[in-house]
Amino acid sequence: YPEDLKPLAAPNGDGTASCFQVLIAGWEVINAYGELIDPQIQRALLEKQAHFKAGGDDEAMEVDEVFLKAMEHGFPPMAGQGMGIDRIVSLLTGQDNLRDVVLFPTMKPEHQAVKVVTKKEPVITEKVVVEVSPTPSMEPGVTREEAWVLVKDKCDWALQRHLVHVAASMEALAVHLGHEAQKDTWYITGLLHDIDWNDTINNPEDHCGPETMNYLKSKGVSEEICTAIQAHHQDAHPQPIDTDLKKALLAVDELSGFAVAVALLRPTKMEGMSPKSMVKKIKDKRFAAAVDRQHMKFCEDYFDLPVSEFLQILIPAWEKIASDWELKI
């Protein structure tokens, strides 16, 4: 492993760290390494980690002055290991999901106050404002073929590839969430969500702005789709994320783009891609560093689905379209 990824392991002097793992059936059950015992090297590594943490890396470490002080008094040569007992139990019991064997899993609040934006008068119940809006029309306003004409007119090939992967993700998620009757609307939302990217790349504040919305509406695209597209650029156009359509687009956008980046480096491209391999790449902050890792966790926030389970829904959809987009070449 690169020594930067193992800040507590002894460096080998060649940029790697002294460590090993024990794997059973592809599962890591033991992580072990020779301990770093040089306080000067340890301080430099922890200060580097603290710099990463200040830059937004929530998995990076802080500088531990108590630990460093103890190390300065002298550490003997040593090594250590950590065994994942929950993984051992999963293997022995044939469970694919660690959550099924964790004795005290993390729980989410059972009840939460919900506020849904509407034009109707609010109903006050126990000091919680519950507002109900009419069910919006989910007709897309254009066909898939008509949406593709717009995409091919305004987007280069690389952008088209991203759009079709997001569209496939949206369709798969629509079916999974029980919105199969609206899967055309979900597909077209994904297909058109970045249609102005090439035009606004130097002016990101204009991305999904009024000019783009007017353009889409002039082509017949529904208000529901336009609103969802604009909502996915929250930095410039903040608004309530109050429909499954909006939540889905935010949840699949970064993951779909990241998947293409991963596939392009694999010999088999999309074929045989696994959720586990994707999750490992997500944890590697140096790979596709520009991709927002927090955005790839929206599936947990909006649908209570861990990234690994969310990927089980999306990967088959990506594999179906891979041959059409040269990801198997």
Side-chain angles (χ1 to χ4, degrees):
Y1 282 84
E3 62 182 31
D4 286 348
L5 299 182
K6 299 285 185 179
L8 300 178
N12 290 323
D14 60 357
T16 64
S18 175
C19 57
F20 69 90
Q21 295 171 309
V22 174
L23 292 91
I24 302 176
W27 287 37
E28 175 199 316
V29 294
I30 290 178
N31 186 33
Y33 50 81
E35 298 279 357
L36 172 58
I37 60 175
D38 186 318
Q40 292 182 323
I41 296 177
Q42 183 66 87
R43 177 175 292 278
L45 289 174
L46 288 178
E47 287 177 349
K48 190 172 184 178
Q49 286 279 308
H51 175 73
F52 292 152
K53 194 172 189 69
D57 185 347
D58 57 1
E59 295 184 2
M61 302 175 68
E62 298 276 9
V63 175
D64 188 336
E65 292 293 345
V66 175
F67 179 66
L68 289 171
K69 188 69 173 178
M71 184 175 285
E72 287 169 0
H73 282 82
F75 272 14
M78 53 186 161
Q81 71 175 36
M83 176 181 287
I85 299 299
D86 50 354
R87 298 192 179 200
I88 289 288
V89 174
S90 292
L91 287 165
L92 293 177
T93 58
Q95 301 299 316
D96 294 327
N97 193 326
L98 291 180
R99 293 191 304 173
D100 293 336
V101 300
V102 175
L103 189 57
F104 298 106
T106 301
M107 304 295 287
K108 293 192 174 183
E110 187 173 347
H111 300 290
Q112 288 183 319
V114 179
K115 182 177 181 181
V116 182
V117 175
T118 183
K119 295 181 180 178
K120 287 189 175 182
E121 291 297 320
V123 179
I124 309 299
T125 305
E126 297 180 357
K127 297 183 180 181
V128 177
V129 179
V130 180
E131 302 172 333
V132 183
S133 59
T135 301
S137 170
M138 290 299 287
E139 293 298 323
V142 294
T143 65
R144 297 188 185 208
E145 292 74 17
E146 289 168 340
W148 261 112
V149 171
L150 302 182
V151 168
K152 291 177 180 178
D153 180 56
K154 294 184 68 69
C155 306
D156 61 25
W157 186 88
L159 180 55
Q160 289 178 33
R161 183 176 63 189
H162 171 62
L163 296 178
V164 76
H165 279 81
V166 175
S169 301
M170 291 290 287
E171 182 175 28
L173 197 54
V175 173
H176 180 81
L177 295 174
H179 297 288
E180 187 167 4
Q182 290 84 41
K183 65 181 183 180
D184 282 350
T185 293
W186 286 51
Y187 179 92
I188 292 168
T189 301
L191 192 62
L192 298 177
H193 81 284
D194 274 345
I195 192 169
D196 65 352
W197 182 264
N198 291 145
D199 295 333
T200 63
I201 192 167
N202 295 319
N203 300 289
E205 67 278 1
D206 295 333
H207 182 43
C208 301
E211 184 175 343
T212 301
M213 296 303 103
N214 290 335
Y215 167 77
L216 291 175
K217 290 175 184 178
S218 72
K219 300 298 183 180
V221 179
S222 70
E223 179 72 28
E224 186 72 11
I225 290 178
C226 290
T227 303
I229 289 174
Q230 193 165 55
H232 99 280
H233 190 23
Q234 283 285 296
D235 291 344
H237 314 292
Q239 57 178 280
I241 307 302
D242 51 6
T243 67
D244 279 352
L245 184 65
K246 293 179 182 179
K247 295 174 184 177
L249 184 56
L250 282 166
V252 306
D253 189 13
E254 293 289 330
L255 269 175
S256 301
F258 189 82
V260 172
V262 173
L264 290 172
L265 295 178
R266 300 178 73 246
T268 57
K269 306 308 179 188
M270 281 289 182
E271 185 177 354
M273 183 183 289
S274 69
K276 185 176 181 179
S277 64
M278 276 279 292
V279 170
K280 283 187 175 181
K281 282 295 186 183
I282 291 171
K283 290 181 178 179
D284 182 357
K285 302 299 174 61
R286 295 174 300 175
F287 178 79
V291 177
D292 192 324
R293 262 59 178 176
Q294 289 303 116
H295 283 199
M296 288 192 280
K297 295 181 180 179
F298 281 156
C299 56
E300 300 175 357
D301 299 332
Y302 293 139
F303 301 114
D304 196 25
L305 284 170
V307 175
S308 58
E309 292 184 19
F310 197 61
L311 288 168
Q312 290 177 11
I313 302 168
L314 304 186
I315 288 176
W318 298 332
E319 288 180 326
K320 286 181 181 178
I321 62 172
S323 59
D324 294 334
W325 290 88
E326 299 183 14
L327 287 176
K328 290 186 177 179
I329 295 177

